[in-house]
Amino acid sequence: MARDQITLSQKVHLWLRAGGHTVATAESLTGGQLAVRFTETPGASETYLGGVVTYATALKQSLLDVDDAIVEKHGVVSAECARAMASGVRALTGASYGVATTGVAGPSEQEGKAPGTVFVGIAGPGVVEAVALEVPGERAEVTERTCDEALSALADILAREEEGLG
């Protein structure tokens, strides 16, 4: 399975490079693991600018400019927050794409949401999307699958962009 993850990371890197794009990450529940996925690919410095781990709500607001109204109305475990985080890291770093993860890894609920409730945000040229996930399992399984899904979501967007060019 680890080999498939590396392959997806490499594929995303190649698509980013081919399009002249860069990416940055804003992570909460994955705690930096998504950044590892991007940087494990040889040549990653061509496409990966960096990232922030904003585990605390206050950091999501201050570093990523997540609006107080989003936090109050929807909470940090929400599609709205994931989109705002992705947009925020994109603005902060100047990356072509921002990818964000937020959710509940467990073992207990957060904001009334069960462990395994996850949102992945993607912001890029002409796109601000969020993917809602229900990921069963222990903390490590939730964070690993979230990273897989984040890479897959970005790959899907990059593949659509490539189809539009061809």
Side-chain angles (χ1 to χ4, degrees):
M1 182 159 170
R3 183 70 191 139
D4 291 339
Q5 294 162 358
I6 292 168
T7 301
L8 182 55
S9 299
Q10 289 173 336
K11 184 181 282 190
V12 166
H13 167 71
L14 292 172
W15 272 332
L16 287 165
R17 191 173 71 189
H21 297 303
T22 56
V23 66
T25 52
E27 300 182 66
S28 188
L29 83 150
T30 51
Q33 293 177 52
L34 184 57
V36 170
R37 295 283 185 89
F38 279 106
T39 59
E40 70 189 1
T41 298
S45 61
E46 295 176 68
T47 58
Y48 183 72
L49 297 184
V52 294
V53 176
T54 53
Y55 215 63
T57 299
L59 286 180
K60 289 174 182 70
Q61 294 168 301
S62 65
L63 291 177
L64 300 174
D65 203 26
V66 174
D67 195 283
D68 295 346
I70 289 174
V71 175
E72 290 168 18
K73 184 174 182 180
H74 304 284
V76 295
V77 181
S78 67
E80 293 80 3
C81 186
R83 287 191 294 264
M85 289 172 65
S87 295
V89 79
R90 184 175 181 229
L92 179 68
T93 63
S96 308
Y97 289 92
V99 181
T101 61
T102 188
V104 187
S108 55
E109 287 187 350
Q110 181 180 342
E111 298 177 344
K113 297 184 177 114
T117 304
V118 175
F119 296 90
V120 172
I122 309 277
V127 62
V128 180
E129 296 181 2
V131 177
L133 305 169
E134 292 297 325
V135 183
E138 300 296 318
R139 281 182 72 85
E141 295 167 302
V142 172
T143 58
E144 182 177 343
R145 171 119 180 263
T146 298
C147 290
D148 293 343
E149 294 292 340
L151 281 167
S152 183
L154 180 57
D156 290 346
I157 288 169
L158 293 170
R160 287 195 313 251
E161 179 183 285
E162 186 175 81
E163 288 171 6
L165 295 175

